[in-house]
């Protein structure tokens, strides 16, 4: 007999079916044994009556998380027994046969209990099974589907960027080194930045999704040491505003896709679908600082090169109130704050055609226009104290002609976190790597614990 998913059982009322999944709970009422059976698509209540003797004997053994397959009649519940809050609340399975596919040991805790973050993370192979936790990663997977779908429709080509690289792409300190062959040091990629720019010379418009690595030595609610970076790069742009326009359409496409595919998850969690406008507002960093000083913080230093986390939260609050948007682009960061490839705005010297996209109080994306002229890029590297000889491979893309281009990098986990209004990025990361943990806590944790949750 073909297996039927629990989501399709309503249509099977009156027939005999095979259902397989996990025992969510077992409840005994006198001789009646009730089971909630859970599969990837939902749950259903089943009852095992004593007249189905063999099944009844087996049912007495069952515990939470045992994996079973049952043959059952799909019965409609009498009117007064219908549970309107459950998708399968109008039916009940009457089990006639049970096959035990896998037994489970006694659970360390009730899966429905509220767990501290460390316990949740210690037991991920188990805790991820809880539908509320699993839903987060369903949304994450739908974000990726929408991301790819939209970019494919706009003439982008997906490519895979290398994760072992010879040089530090971003010129920063937070890089993981590894021993390579022939006595050579290599690094884990912090971003596909250099490769996506090279790829503009090949496909004009590209994107890539993959893991990147940041050796940031602190544990906060917004930082991971390995995250999924969604990156695009597009050629033949006028300036960063073309990137902002495309990003705006992309974010609209992602929001609409989630509205279509995950509205039930948003509803269940009591989270609003984000407010998004056809033209996401954008403002220069200095304008944002003026607003913040006037509205929230008269001590704010107008010459600060970046926004503090609290400022990001406030400016998002302001934009939501005044502009009806949960997203806002902040542009024109000072040259000294941005990466070597960020294009300085000729009409606003000292500031770059670069932006951060903030969403519900946090930066989810950075991007902008890059230098495409070889000489300007080499000069910018030197200004940042980088040796152009170390970038000779990358510089070929510019030596041999590349169009004006720009793009962005976006953290998938932060995006998921904010879509679902979760309080910590680690809860929106399947298997988070952070200073104290690779799956399990590192034994050296106590020595490093001084830099604790800062934000
Ligand atoms: P940036 O370093 O700002 O830019 O990163 C882009 C986005 O990646 C996410 N992100 C992180 N998420 C979790 N943990 C971290 N430690 C972490 N660091 C960054 C954020 C951030 O907005 N090459 C440029 C992008 C570009 O210019 O195209 C870059 O990587 O969501």
């Amino acid at each position: 007999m073909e297996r039927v998913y629990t989501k399709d059982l309503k249509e099977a009322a009156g027939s005999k079916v095979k259902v397989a999944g996990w025992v969510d709970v077992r409840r005994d009422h006198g001789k009646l044994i009730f089971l909630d059976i859970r599969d990837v698509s939902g749950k259903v209540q089943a009852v095992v009556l004593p007249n189905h003797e063999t099944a009844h004997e087996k049912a007495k053994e069952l515990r939470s998380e045992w994996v079973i397959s049952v043959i059952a009649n799909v019965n409609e519940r009498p009117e007064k027994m219908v549970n309107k809050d459950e998708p399968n609340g109008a039916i009940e399975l009457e089990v006639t046969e049970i096959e035990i596919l896998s037994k489970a040991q006694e659970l360390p805790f009730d899966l429905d209990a509220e767990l501290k973050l460390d316990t949740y993370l210690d037991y991920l192979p188990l805790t991820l099974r809880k539908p509320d936790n699993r839903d987060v990663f369903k949304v994450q997977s739908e974000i990726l589907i929408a991301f790819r779908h939209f970019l494919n429709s706009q003439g982008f080509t997906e490519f895979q960027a290398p994760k072992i690289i010879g040089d530090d792409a971003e010129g920063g300190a937070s890089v993981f080194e590894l021993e390579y062959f022939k006595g050579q040091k290599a690094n884990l990629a912090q971003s596909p930045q250099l490769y996506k720019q090279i790829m503009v010379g090949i496909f004009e418009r590209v994107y890539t999704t993959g893991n990147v690595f940041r050796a940031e030595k602190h544990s906060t609610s917004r930082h991971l040491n390995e995250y999924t970076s969604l990156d695009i790069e597009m050629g033949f742009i006028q300036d960063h505003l073309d990137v902002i326009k495309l990003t705006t359409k992309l974010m609209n496409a992602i929001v609409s896709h989630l509205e279509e595919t995950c509205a039930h998850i948003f509803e269940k969690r009591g989270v609003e679908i984000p407010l998004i406008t056809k033209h996401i507002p954008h403002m220069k960093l200095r304008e944002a600082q003026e607003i913040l000083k006037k509205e929230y913080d008269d001590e704010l230093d107008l010459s600060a090169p970046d926004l503090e986390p609290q400022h990001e939260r406030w400016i998002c609050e302001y934009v939501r109130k005044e502009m009806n948007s949960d997203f806002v682009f902040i542009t024109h960061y000072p040259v000294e704050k941005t990466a070597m490839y960020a294009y300085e705005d000729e009409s606003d010297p000292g500031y770059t055609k670069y932006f951060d996209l903030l969403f519900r109080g946090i930066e989810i994306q950075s991007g902008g226009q890059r230098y495409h002229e070889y000489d300007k890029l080499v000069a910018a590297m030197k200004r940042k104290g980088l040796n152009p000889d170390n970038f000779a491979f990358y510089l070929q893309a510019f030596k041999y002609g590349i169009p004006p281009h720009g793009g962005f990098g976006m953290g998938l986990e932060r995006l998921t976190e904010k879509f679902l209004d979760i309080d910590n990025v680690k809860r929106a990361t399947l298997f988070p790597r952070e200073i104290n943990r690779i799956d399990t806590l590192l034994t050296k944790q106590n020595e490093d614990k001084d830099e604790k949750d800062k934000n």
Side-chain angles (χ1 to χ4, degrees):
M1 198 184 278
E2 282 272 312
R3 176 182 173 204
V4 177
Y5 283 100
T6 54
K7 73 174 170 45
D8 299 324
L9 284 171
K10 282 182 297 256
E11 288 85 69
S15 59
K16 207 173 187 72
V17 293
K18 177 172 169 178
V19 171
W22 286 260
V23 175
D24 210 49
V25 275
R26 189 188 105 198
R27 293 178 298 273
D28 296 354
H29 286 292
K31 294 222 154 117
L32 305 185
I33 300 176
F34 289 91
L35 306 170
D36 283 347
I37 303 176
R38 186 186 79 232
D39 68 11
V40 68
S41 69
K43 263 200 262 189
V44 65
Q45 178 172 286
V47 60
V48 195
L49 306 172
N51 55 329
H52 300 298
E53 257 175 55
T54 321
H56 197 257
E57 277 310 302
K58 279 195 189 163
K60 283 184 191 161
E61 274 189 82
L62 298 178
R63 300 277 179 281
S64 289
E65 297 309 303
W66 285 35
V67 188
I68 58 171
S69 169
V70 302
I71 307 288
N73 300 317
V74 185
N75 295 336
E76 289 190 23
R77 293 194 198 182
E79 191 65 39
K80 60 178 192 306
M81 304 295 280
V82 169
N83 180 351
K84 292 211 169 69
D85 298 332
E86 290 287 335
N88 276 331
I91 55 165
E92 184 176 71
L93 298 185
E94 180 195 338
V95 175
T96 55
E97 291 172 47
I98 297 179
E99 185 186 353
I100 294 169
L101 301 177
S102 183
K103 294 183 178 182
Q105 295 186 9
E106 195 178 331
L107 303 191
F109 41 73
D110 177 0
L111 260 189
D112 285 329
E114 280 288 318
L115 299 176
K116 286 206 312 237
L117 181 61
D118 271 328
T119 315
Y120 165 76
L121 295 176
D122 283 342
Y123 289 92
L124 280 171
L126 180 62
T127 50
L128 283 171
R129 291 182 188 180
K130 183 177 165 185
D132 284 354
N133 297 333
R134 190 183 62 190
D135 284 348
V136 175
F137 301 99
K138 175 69 182 157
V139 168
Q140 192 160 87
S141 134
E142 293 295 342
I143 292 174
L144 269 172
I145 290 173
F147 180 79
R148 290 199 164 100
H149 183 76
F150 175 79
L151 293 171
N152 291 341
S153 79
Q154 301 295 308
F156 282 74
T157 302
E158 182 169 8
F159 77 100
Q160 309 303 319
K163 303 294 178 279
I164 297 179
I165 57 164
D167 266 308
D168 171 13
E170 303 284 310
S174 57
V175 61
F176 284 109
E177 273 193 2
L178 57 101
E179 297 289 336
Y180 205 59
F181 304 116
K182 301 192 189 290
Q184 188 95 31
K185 291 259 185 259
N187 296 316
L188 289 180
Q190 291 176 286
S191 135
Q193 182 66 37
L194 306 193
Y195 298 92
K196 65 178 178 170
Q197 289 188 259
I198 292 172
M199 291 304 287
V200 167
I202 291 130
F203 285 124
E204 296 188 17
R205 293 182 148 204
V206 292
Y207 70 94
T208 181
T209 69
N211 293 19
V212 295
F213 307 88
R214 304 275 170 118
E216 282 153 3
K217 284 193 178 161
H218 45 249
S219 171
T220 76
S221 59
R222 49 167 60 197
H223 290 100
L224 299 161
N225 293 108
E226 177 176 359
Y227 70 90
T228 313
S229 191
L230 310 186
D231 278 85
I232 75 154
E233 204 64 25
M234 54 199 275
F236 299 99
I237 59 168
Q238 204 67 42
D239 58 21
H240 65 293
L241 294 175
D242 282 343
V243 184
I244 285 187
K245 265 186 225 151
L246 185 111
T247 308
T248 297
K249 284 191 191 152
L250 167 69
M251 299 317 290
N252 269 281
I254 296 177
V255 170
S256 305
H257 180 79
L258 292 186
E259 213 167 354
E260 276 164 33
T261 54
C262 298
H264 61 291
I265 296 178
F266 282 82
E267 200 184 316
K268 193 160 86 175
R269 301 174 77 90
V271 179
E272 261 181 58
I273 304 271
L275 293 177
I276 188 159
T277 45
K278 285 270 167 301
H279 302 282
I280 295 178
H282 61 90
M283 61 179 79
K284 290 186 177 181
L285 174 67
R286 282 156 290 163
E287 295 171 57
Q289 287 170 324
E290 294 284 356
I291 294 172
L292 286 164
K293 196 169 177 75
K294 186 157 164 269
E295 303 283 331
Y296 295 93
D297 179 7
D298 54 14
E299 308 268 279
L300 186 131
D301 172 10
L302 289 175
S303 63
D306 204 352
L307 298 177
E308 300 291 332
Q310 183 55 41
H311 296 141
E312 292 183 349
R313 288 191 278 271
W314 278 331
I315 199 73
C316 284
E317 186 185 297
Y318 177 86
V319 169
R320 184 181 159 92
K321 198 167 56 174
E322 300 295 328
M323 303 172 192
N324 230 18
S325 172
D326 279 326
F327 298 84
V328 57
F329 289 102
I330 309 293
T331 70
H332 290 80
Y333 289 86
V335 171
E336 68 273 13
K337 195 256 157 188
T338 32
M340 50 93 172
Y341 43 75
Y343 213 112
E344 185 172 357
D345 192 342
E346 309 84 343
S347 62
D348 194 357
Y351 296 90
T352 55
K353 295 196 249 186
Y354 223 66
F355 60 78
D356 278 353
L357 175 61
L358 310 186
F359 172 35
R360 289 183 168 161
I362 196 173
E363 174 209 311
I364 54 155
Q365 194 182 95
S366 290
Q369 185 177 356
R370 334 288 187 184
Y371 284 119
H372 62 282
E373 304 96 328
Y374 179 84
D375 294 340
K376 284 191 182 172
L377 180 57
V378 168
M381 284 178 174
K382 288 184 180 158
R383 276 200 304 276
K384 292 269 173 195
L386 298 167
N387 180 356
D389 293 345
N390 295 342
F391 293 90
F393 183 79
Y394 162 69
L395 283 171
Q396 290 179 70
F398 302 84
K399 225 181 206 171
Y400 303 121
I402 198 161
H405 63 278
F408 68 73
M410 170 159 70
L412 175 63
E413 294 80 2
R414 280 197 192 172
L415 181 62
T416 313
E417 174 201 352
K418 285 292 130 182
F419 261 121
L420 293 175
D421 220 358
I422 295 171
D423 62 352
N424 192 318
V425 72
K426 288 165 210 160
R427 287 192 187 266
T429 308
L430 264 181
F431 302 106
R433 271 73 180 108
E434 51 111 293
I435 190 162
N436 297 316
R437 171 185 299 276
I438 300 177
D439 293 336
T440 52
L441 281 175
L442 306 180
T443 46
K444 225 173 127 290
Q445 61 162 310
N446 293 333
E447 290 166 45
D448 295 328
K449 259 213 153 136
D450 44 356
E451 292 220 56
K452 270 201 89 187
D453 289 318
K454 280 180 180 161
N455 298 316

